[in-house]
Amino acid sequence: GEDVEQSLFLSVREGDSSVINCTYTDSSSTYLYWYKQEPGAGLQLLTYIFSNMDMKQDQRLTVLLNKKDKHLSLRIADTQTGDSAIYFCAESMEYGNKLVFGAGTILRVKS
Amino acid sequence: DVKVTQSSRYLVKRTGEKVFLECVQDMDHENMFWYRQDPGLGLRLIYFSYDVKMKEKGDIPEGYSVSREKKERFSLILESASTNQTSMYLCASSFSAGGSRGEQYFGPGTRLTVT
């Protein structure tokens, strides 16, 4: 079945790098996504990666995809207190238009 | 910019009441979704719609129904609210998969408390 797993909590110091990991099960996923949810808000698309790519960089964000292991990671360089949020990994399903989300990783940035 | 709005940010209802949650998107998206979000469980899909008057059950449809009479509007209905439906409800929309990356755009959420 479809399942996306993430660790639930990550704590880092301001200025350090954060790495949030995710594993997924559907090898036919076309796109994989990272969403950010700030307190009291909806989810905001941070970045995405197409399944035939290994890496995507967007300013402080680096996404790494290992299709063989079905492992996705999000690295945030120079983490700031404003990066404190819940980060969700999601995969697209082969058929239809649904996404499957992980449970979310709470990132806490200590100053 | 895509805008998805939800009718209420906070709602308090009594057990047994009929509850309507409204969602409107302004980007002409074909697909619309309702999720509930609970701590440690992530987002769970309740219902989605891929066209006007079309709907499909998600993973947890029990106790809910939906209505999509117009393309831009998707309503979630709790026929008889119960305390276990206390949650954050998130609406999302997207273009059909064939012509897009499939990413979903979310509203700000409605925090529903049933007492």
Side-chain angles (χ1 to χ4, degrees), chain A residues 24-105:
Chain A
Y24 61 96
T25 56
D26 189 348
S27 57
S28 61
S29 293
T30 309
Y31 286 96
L32 295 119
Y33 312 85
W34 283 104
Y35 282 83
K36 177 184 180 183
Q37 184 183 35
E38 295 181 355
L43 275 69
Q44 171 194 0
L45 180 68
L46 260 187
T47 188
Y48 63 93
I49 188 166
F50 190 51
S51 58
N52 69 354
M53 297 169 65
D54 299 322
M55 185 180 88
K56 180 180 180 182
Q57 188 146 5
D58 183 2
Q59 299 182 332
R60 291 191 298 123
L61 305 178
T62 303
V63 179
L64 296 177
L65 175 60
N66 181 329
K67 279 198 78 172
K68 176 176 165 288
D69 294 338
K70 298 192 185 73
H71 183 264
L72 182 74
S73 68
L74 174 70
R75 178 176 179 269
I76 305 172
D78 187 25
T79 313
Q80 304 296 308
T81 54
D83 295 324
S84 293
I86 305 176
Y87 290 81
F88 292 91
C89 166
E91 62 172 339
S92 61
M93 303 312 298
E94 180 179 10
Y95 300 109
N97 302 279
K98 294 193 288 184
L99 301 184
V100 176
F101 288 84
T105 299

Side-chain angles (χ1 to χ4, degrees), chain A residues 2 8 31 33 35 37 39-45 48 86 88 92 96-99 101-104, chain B residues 9 31 33 35 37 40-43 45 48 88 90 94-97 100-104 106-108:
Chain A
E2 314 126 9
L8 290 183
Y31 286 96
Y33 312 85
Y35 282 83
Q37 184 183 35
L43 275 69
Q44 171 194 0
L45 180 68
Y48 63 93
I86 305 176
F88 292 91
S92 61
N97 302 279
K98 294 193 288 184
L99 301 184
F101 288 84
Chain B
R9 293 299 305 273
N31 305 317
F33 307 82
Y35 296 89
Q37 180 182 11
L41 298 178
L43 274 68
L45 182 64
F48 72 101
M88 170 74 100
L90 292 164
S94 71
F95 284 115
S96 283
S100 78
R101 296 186 298 261
E103 70 264 33
Q104 295 180 9
F106 283 81

Side-chain angles (χ1 to χ4, degrees), chain B:
Chain B
D1 267 359
V2 176
K3 194 150 187 194
V4 181
T5 56
Q6 295 183 228
S7 49
S8 305
R9 293 299 305 273
Y10 301 94
L11 212 50
V12 180
K13 295 291 181 180
R14 292 190 183 277
T15 302
E17 279 193 84
K18 190 168 185 176
V19 182
F20 293 86
L21 302 182
E22 302 279 335
C23 175
V24 177
Q25 51 94 4
D26 67 358
M27 278 302 290
D28 205 33
H29 286 167
E30 293 87 3
N31 305 317
M32 296 189 76
F33 307 82
W34 275 108
Y35 296 89
R36 62 177 284 176
Q37 180 182 11
D38 300 288
L41 298 178
L43 274 68
R44 292 181 291 167
L45 182 64
I46 304 171
Y47 267 98
F48 72 101
S49 168
Y50 51 89
D51 202 351
V52 175
K53 296 193 189 294
M54 306 302 285
K55 61 186 178 186
E56 283 199 24
K57 293 180 181 178
D59 301 317
I60 51 162
E62 296 78 19
Y64 303 94
S65 62
V66 290
S67 171
R68 191 159 181 209
E69 296 296 319
K70 293 185 177 182
K71 192 175 184 180
E72 67 270 20
R73 188 179 298 268
F74 193 33
S75 303
L76 180 69
I77 303 151
L78 288 67
E79 294 289 342
S80 177
S82 63
T83 54
N84 64 13
Q85 292 178 310
T86 291
S87 187
M88 170 74 100
Y89 290 87
L90 292 164
C91 175
S93 69
S94 71
F95 284 115
S96 283
S100 78
R101 296 186 298 261
E103 70 264 33
Q104 295 180 9
Y105 295 85
F106 283 81
T110 296
R111 185 162 294 282
L112 172 67
T113 303
V114 183
T115 61

